Structure formats: C-alpha cells, structure tokens
Amino acid sequence: MADPKYKRVLLKVSGEVLMGEQPYGIDMKTVGEVADSVARAHATGVEICLVIGGGNIFRGLSKAAGDMERATADQMGMLATVMNALAMQAALEKAGVPTRVQSALDMPAVAEPLIRRRALRHLEKGRVVIFAAGVGAPFFTTDSGAALRAAEMGCDVLLKGTSVDGVYSADPKKDPTATRYDTLSYTDVLARDLRVMDASAIAMMRDASIPIVVFSIREENSFQRVLKGEGAHTVICAKP
Ligand code: UDP
C-alpha cells in the first residue's frame, strides 16, 4: 500500500552518486543499487519521477570543457544526463520496474520527447518516468530540471539524493564541528548561500510550495526511510 505521506515524488540523483567509488563515469553496480531502492519504493505504490544528473561524465563548467563556449559544453553535459538516464532505465527494467525516458532534447530514436500529459499517463499506469537532458537549455543544471519537472508534474516533494545525508552548517568532510540541519526555510538557504541546489531550483520550489528533502541515497534503504519521513535528512520548506 502507498505510504500516505506522498502520492507522487520526484527523485533527483546526482551524477556523482552513479560513479560509485570510481573517479568518473558510470558504475553499473551502484546504478543497480539505486535502481533496487527505487524498485522497493515503487512497489509501495508511490508514483516516481526521476531526474539524473550528468556530473559523473561531463560538467559544463569543468576543466575538460577547456575554453569551449559554455553553451557547447553545457550541451555535452545534457547529453551525459541522457546516457545516465539510459543506464538507470536499464537497471530499473532489470529490477522489474516499467520505465519511460523522456528527453528535453529531441532524440526520438533513443527516448520519448518531453510531453507532460503523456508523462502523467505513464505515472498513472505505474511506470517510473526518467526525465533526461535537464531543462533542455544551456546555463542550467539538472537541479533546475528537477525543480521544473517536480512543479509541472505536480509532485508532493522533491527528494535530492546525494552522497551527504543532508545540509550541514559547513562541509562535514572538512570540518568535524559541522552540524546537520533538520529543517531550513527556502529563504535561509538562499540568503545564506548554502549551495544545496541552484538558487533557481530553490526559488522555483518556494514559488510552487514544494518541499525539498536532502538525503544520502548511498545508505541502504534510505530512499524508503525518507519517504516515510524517517532517517537522516534535511527538509527545506516555507517555515521550519
Ligand atoms: N546541463 C545543462 N542544462 C540543463 C541540465 C544540465 O546545460 O538543463 C549541463 C550542464 O553543463 C551541467 C551538466 O549538464 O553541468 C550536468 O548536469 P549537473 O551538473 O546538473 O549534474 P549533477 O551535478 O547532478 O551530476
């Protein structure tokens, strides 16, 4: 039975999660683990939209981009998100979950075009919809893509699965005194420049009144726990 807390969710998985212990690229073992946890959540009846980043393969603002025009580098970054989306689709289907990939960049031989009403129908039929290529434009990131899709698909929450279990007062890898926030307001995150997600993504979620939950998807069963409001995470909403 579906957990009553959320009916429809959007899970954003950063590209860096998919590289596992490798320095870059796609680690199919890790992709399989993420897919298994999505499959377990899917089995409870919750409708799931997925947005996968691309930073594990290519980031527009990276050394590899050299002195390339930013728009071109960003287009390469968007193509990277399509590769990750296909890897995630393969892993989810292996786990027995029906899926569709919709790409914001038209690629009819590879993925469906982005059609909101069709995506809604997929969800109703119990398919996981993976949105690839972010918002489909350079100078954005997949965080903004995730926020946009969460708003247009009417999701109850945007879950950001990263390698850290929430938002900290400082970088927990560098500062042992850093503490994790349980809740924050959108305005706190923006005013204090906490860099949880892009400012445009936070502002969009504030305008749409959709809470953001930041958690570590690397920990076993963390996705299911966070869907029930359990486990380590930070909630970003209007009034903490
Ligand atoms: N990108 C873009 N427009 C979008 C989404 C992504 O130009 O709407 C490009 C951008 O270059 C970005 C790269 O794709 O750096 C990978 O996405 P992102 O950095 O969001 O991935 P993540 O950090 O989640 O792995």
Side-chain angles (χ1 to χ4, degrees):
M1 217 184 82
D3 188 289
K5 195 165 166 69
Y6 305 117
K7 183 178 183 295
R8 180 177 298 160
V9 304
L10 186 138
L11 173 65
K12 153 84 206 280
V13 182
S14 322
E16 65 160 20
V17 168
L18 303 187
M19 64 193 190
E21 300 307 317
Q22 298 175 178
Y24 63 88
I26 304 175
D27 174 33
M28 278 315 282
K29 184 172 166 282
T30 308
V31 177
E33 284 163 11
V34 174
D36 286 345
S37 86
V38 171
R40 285 194 292 272
H42 177 260
T44 69
V46 66
E47 294 179 353
I48 303 172
C49 303
L50 272 180
V51 168
I52 318 284
N56 54 320
I57 299 174
F58 199 83
R59 210 178 276 288
L61 283 175
S62 68
K63 251 202 231 150
D67 58 4
M68 201 185 289
E69 253 189 285
R70 168 84 189 266
T72 307
D74 281 345
Q75 285 168 337
M76 292 173 71
M78 285 187 273
L79 294 177
T81 72
V82 178
M83 287 200 262
N84 282 337
L86 294 178
M88 183 55 74
Q89 178 175 45
L92 278 169
E93 302 243 325
K94 200 171 161 197
V97 179
T99 61
R100 292 293 186 271
V101 177
Q102 290 203 348
S103 171
L105 290 178
D106 281 349
M107 243 180 263
V110 170
E112 290 183 0
L114 187 77
I115 301 173
R116 177 178 166 271
R117 294 178 73 104
R118 194 166 176 183
L120 289 170
R121 188 81 187 108
H122 289 324
L123 292 176
E124 282 165 14
K125 287 189 171 173
R127 297 171 184 144
V128 169
V129 183
I130 308 170
F131 293 101
V135 305
F139 299 95
F140 282 97
T141 67
T142 48
D143 281 350
S144 297
L148 180 58
R149 302 300 162 228
E152 66 177 344
M153 298 302 289
C155 293
D156 304 315
V157 66
L158 192 171
L159 300 149
K160 174 155 171 152
T162 65
S163 47
V164 186
D165 64 0
V167 184
Y168 280 77
S169 53
D171 184 346
K173 285 174 192 151
K174 292 183 191 150
D175 183 350
T177 65
T179 50
R180 180 167 43 75
Y181 299 105
D182 287 332
T183 50
L184 282 165
S185 70
Y186 303 110
T187 315
D188 276 343
V189 175
L190 291 173
R192 286 151 66 183
D193 198 17
L194 288 172
R195 297 182 185 271
V196 184
M197 294 183 104
D198 297 342
S200 57
I202 306 275
M204 210 184 303
M205 294 296 82
R206 180 181 60 188
D207 293 349
S209 301
I210 298 175
I212 302 167
V213 177
V214 184
F215 71 105
S216 167
I217 198 159
R218 286 194 168 169
E219 283 154 37
E220 220 181 324
N221 288 325
S222 57
F223 184 39
Q224 290 94 300
R225 277 202 301 274
V226 95
L227 285 174
K228 292 186 206 150
E230 296 168 1
H233 60 269
T234 299
V235 180
I236 302 164
C237 54
K239 279 199 186 88

